[in-house]
Amino acid sequence: NAGVTQTPKFRILKIGQSMTLQCTQDMNHNYMYWYRQDPGMGLKLIYYSVGAGITDKGEVPNGYNVSRSTTEDFPLRLELAAPSQTSVYFCASSYSQAPNTEAFFGQGTRLTVV
Amino acid sequence: AQTVTQSQPEMSVQEAETVTLSCTYDTSENNYYLFWYKQPPSRQMILVIRQEAYKQQNATENRFSVNFQKAAKSFSLKISDSQLGDTAMYFCAFMKIQGAQKLVFGQGTRLTINP
């Protein structure tokens, strides 16, 4: 079972460059999330999606964009990378109907902007 | 908006001891879920235990149990007979049931189990 797959695992970007973090899940979950985790801190929600075609901002959306064209995929786009975006990024998915509301996480992407 | 607070940045206990991690949350919702996630050095997020707010009985999973106090908005995690493999960051998380089910995390507690 693949679960939630994120690519790449590591990336170094130069200031001003752009990139897309890929996330795909094979559990037919309707909810998908993007979080960032700064060193020694908790996870902050960037964007989330309740289903294909529907996305909404989380706590820290500035500098990021998302799309959800299919149930499986939820890419996160960084435009004009800045040092403040250096972080570990996690994608997660969950099913909205009880009792199976557990969120499953990808392995994370460590991004450094220099 | 919901908030989750973990007031213990770090904790350390000896192997085989019992340890309790604290979590409080703020919400106006009546029905919701609460979770404890473990993040070992591998960075993987692992679900430890889940509690539905409408259930009065505290959830248990082997050595892990919770003390859920709905009126006090408190959700602590007790680890019994702690093992070296329990060393990790532990995050408390909240998810409401109605409307957008955003999963909101606390700041985390770094737990170290010493041999």
Side-chain angles (χ1 to χ4, degrees), chain B residues 33-45:
Chain B
Y33 300 105
L34 294 163
F35 306 88
W36 278 99
Y37 278 88
K38 169 184 178 181
Q39 187 181 42
S42 66
R43 215 168 62 194
Q44 182 66 41
M45 294 289 287

Side-chain angles (χ1 to χ4, degrees), chain A residues 67-111:
Chain A
S67 61
R68 183 95 181 270
S69 57
T70 66
T71 299
E72 296 78 19
D73 300 307
F74 190 43
L76 177 71
R77 178 82 177 162
L78 279 72
E79 303 282 1
L80 299 175
S84 61
Q85 293 177 305
T86 294
S87 190
V88 178
Y89 292 83
F90 286 96
C91 179
S93 71
S94 67
Y95 185 58
S96 60
Q97 300 301 314
N100 301 317
T101 52
E102 172 188 353
F104 291 81
F105 286 79
Q107 296 272 35
T109 297
R110 183 178 294 279
L111 175 67

Side-chain angles (χ1 to χ4, degrees), chain B residues 25 30-34 49-60 65-71 74-76:
Chain B
Y25 57 95
N30 188 48
N31 291 319
Y32 47 87
Y33 300 105
L34 294 163
I49 199 164
R50 167 177 52 205
Q51 174 79 42
E52 291 88 350
Y54 56 86
K55 290 186 177 179
Q56 294 185 339
Q57 186 172 5
N58 288 325
T60 62
S65 61
V66 299
N67 183 3
F68 173 49
Q69 302 290 328
K70 190 173 184 179
S74 170
F75 182 60
S76 62

Side-chain angles (χ1 to χ4, degrees), chain A residues 6-7 11-12 22 31 33 40 42 44-45 52 54-55 57 65 67 74 89 96 103 107 113:
Chain A
Q6 284 183 240
T7 56
R11 182 73 185 267
I12 298 174
Q22 301 292 344
Y31 272 78
Y33 313 84
K44 293 186 177 180
L45 184 63
I54 305 170
T55 63
K57 296 177 180 179
N65 279 299
S67 61
F74 190 43
Y89 292 83
S96 60
Q107 296 272 35
V113 182

